[in-house]
Structure formats: structure tokens, C-alpha cells
Amino acid sequence: MIRIEQLHKYYGKQHVLKGIDLTVDKGEVVAILGPSGSGKSTLLRSINFLEQPTSGNIEINGIRVSAGSAGKADIHALRTATGMVFQQYHLFKNLRVLQNVMVGLTSVKKMDAGKARAISEVLLEKVGLKDRMNHFPSQLSGGQQQRVGIARALALNPEVLLFDEPTSSLDPELVDEVLSVIKTVAREGNTMLIVTHELGFAREVADRVVFMENGAIVEEGTAEQMFTRPAAERTRQFLGKAIKNEQVL
Ligand SMILES: Nc1ncnc2c1ncn2[C@@H]1O[C@H](COP(=O)(O)OP(=O)(O)O)[C@@H](O)[C@H]1O
Ligand SMILES: [Mg+2]
């Protein structure tokens, strides 16, 4: 479970997060939608202090950290509790696929190689890449690399998974294979926060949809509610296309 309270972030004088309050229950999948520059990535990165929030509190499964007084141990605890999948996959280019998934287990969790390998193979099977485990990242398509990124995030068995536009850098024909893996992970009861521009996917996978603009949450609701009868005019404009398609159907 994630609880974000009154989270503010300034970059210099620019107020990028303006008091975000958001709770994600255990097993819940929440999609964050919003125009570019609205603070979605900053919000996600503040949850595990990849960005230092200016003020506010973050709580993940009972670990509660205040921006003002976060120590190294607190930040480490938050990072251990979160797995992150980025727009760019950030795989180690000099390591094979299997090693890319194993490395967190052997280096962070100090697990012995045999056990780490067994867990990693199961995860590669889940994302459909067991047959590629001895390839190097450069020998894979973008969609395959992103699926390795997902297996790697799952390997550490985090309390929550954070996805920041996981398909935005992919060629259109590779988007579906990645979305399909994320859907599988969502159905397994993982707690997930997903920033995406894929509205159809958001509608299908998310229990709840949050619409953000200008560093604030404009509106949130069930996927059904947000896509068929959003309360705010701004949400309606942003989701307009998806809503229009809905009316046609
Ligand atoms: N490292 C940074 N330094 C300064 N400004 C930043 C930095 N990262 C993001 N910003 C600014 O913060 C705002 C929100 O950015 P971001 O969180 O990336 O939005 P989104 O993910 O919704 O597109 C933007 O105006 C962006 O230019
Ligand atoms: Mg972003």
C-alpha cells in the first residue's frame, strides 16, 4: 500500500508538485494520466526518493518517510519496497539477459547464484523471454528489452511496482507485447502505479484512474467513471478522444 500526503516538489522556483495526496491500496492498479510536463514522472520518482521531494510524506507498507527528515536508512527502505520500470530500459549492455535479471538478487539481496538464477528463469518465462536469456540486450528488440526490464523489477519482489510510460519509447508494433505483460502482472494482485498515454490500456487494466495537470490531481475515479463521465471539464477535454470512441461503440 502506498500513501502520499501533501507532497510538494520545487525545482528552484518552479513548483512542480503542488500538494499531492494519493493512496493506492494493496493489490490496486492505479493509472496516472495527464499532459506532458504535469509532474507525473516527478511524482513517481519522488515516491522512492530518486527525486528528493521538498515536503510531504511517503508511506509504503508501514514505512513512513517525511521529506524533511528522510535519512539514508529510510530512503533505502523505500527503494527496497519499490520496483521501477522506466521509459528507457536501462539494462546493463555488457550483461546477458539472465544476468540483467539476476544482478539485483545477487548484489542487493546477496542471494546465492543458483537460487537467483532459478527465480530469474521463472520471471523470464513469465515475460516470454526464457529462450533469449543468453542474449545481450543489443540483440533484442525494444519491446523485448522492456520485458526484461519488467522481469528485473519483479525479481526483487517489491511491495509496489511503478511504471513510468513503459511503452513510450517503443515502435507502435512493439507496444502490445509489453502492455500484455503488464496486464498479466496486474492480474497477479501486484500493487501498481502506472503513468501511461495508452488510454485503452489504462481503462482496461486500472482499478482507478488519476488525472494530473500542472502538478496537481484534477480528478480521480474508477476507470469506468473517468472514461464515461468525468466531472471536470479539463478531464473531459484530455480524455475526449477515448470518450468519443466509447460513445461510438
Ligand atoms: N531535473 C529537473 N530539473 C528541473 N526541472 C525539471 C526536472 N525534471 C522535471 N522538471 C520540470 O518539472 C515539470 C514536470 O516534469 P515531469 O515530472 O517530467 O512531467 P511529466 O512526467 O508529467 O511529463 C516540467 O516542467 C519539467 O520541465
Ligand atoms: Mg514523464
Side-chain angles (χ1 to χ4, degrees):
M1 185 265 233
I2 312 172
R3 191 194 306 278
I4 299 166
E5 294 169 340
Q6 275 305 301
L7 198 73
H8 288 266
K9 170 68 178 174
Y10 285 85
Y11 285 116
K13 283 188 177 162
Q14 195 190 354
H15 199 180
V16 174
L17 296 179
K18 301 173 181 168
I20 301 286
D21 289 301
L22 179 65
T23 301
V24 183
D25 289 332
K26 193 170 172 54
E28 197 179 19
V29 177
V30 174
I32 302 180
L33 311 179
S36 178
S38 53
K40 306 179 300 294
S41 294
T42 305
L43 172 61
L44 235 55
R45 295 169 63 84
S46 295
I47 291 175
N48 54 11
F49 283 66
L50 289 179
E51 293 293 346
Q52 167 78 47
T54 308
S55 63
N57 304 306
I58 303 287
E59 183 181 329
I60 300 177
N61 280 21
I63 309 162
R64 189 165 191 273
V65 181
S66 293
S69 60
K72 265 192 178 161
D74 295 322
I75 292 173
H76 180 75
L78 285 181
R79 293 201 179 146
T80 309
T82 50
M84 201 152 178
V85 176
F86 303 90
Q87 185 174 338
Q88 297 297 337
Y89 346 108
H90 302 303
L91 299 178
F92 294 108
K93 290 186 170 46
N94 59 326
L95 296 183
R96 295 175 195 275
V97 164
L98 178 66
Q99 271 79 37
N100 261 287
V101 180
M102 282 175 64
V103 67
L105 292 171
T106 50
S107 68
V108 180
K109 289 208 165 168
K110 312 288 178 212
M111 191 179 278
D112 72 74
K115 204 172 162 199
R117 183 184 172 109
I119 291 172
S120 301
E121 285 188 9
V122 169
L123 291 171
L124 284 168
E125 174 96 61
K126 185 197 295 271
V127 303
L129 288 172
K130 190 152 179 241
D131 59 334
R132 302 296 160 99
M133 68 182 186
N134 292 316
H135 285 52
F136 287 100
S138 62
Q139 298 171 305
L140 302 182
S141 71
Q144 290 171 328
Q145 291 189 55
Q146 188 58 299
R147 288 190 275 147
V148 176
I150 295 169
R152 178 185 52 185
L154 291 170
L156 294 168
N157 198 18
E159 306 288 348
V160 304
L161 287 162
L162 309 175
F163 294 81
D164 192 2
E165 298 194 24
T167 59
S168 295
S169 65
L170 299 176
D171 291 335
E173 70 271 21
L174 302 177
V175 167
D176 281 351
E177 67 187 52
V178 173
L179 295 182
S180 144
V181 165
I182 299 174
K183 279 182 217 163
T184 306
V185 173
R187 284 191 209 105
E188 288 172 347
N190 288 293
T191 309
M192 294 165 53
L193 199 47
I194 309 175
V195 174
T196 184
H197 289 296
E198 299 286 340
L199 300 182
F201 162 74
R203 179 164 186 182
E204 189 184 338
V205 79
D207 299 304
R208 200 143 48 89
V209 170
V210 172
F211 176 61
M212 255 183 97
E213 188 169 52
N214 281 328
I217 292 177
V218 174
E219 180 175 0
E220 59 174 288
T222 64
E224 214 266 321
Q225 194 182 323
M226 293 289 277
F227 280 100
T228 55
R229 43 194 153 84
E233 178 54 31
R234 196 52 198 106
T235 315
R236 206 168 301 148
Q237 277 172 14
F238 186 82
L239 299 178
K241 234 195 207 158
I243 292 167
K244 238 181 252 154
N245 288 342
E246 167 73 21
Q247 284 163 351
V248 169
L249 287 175

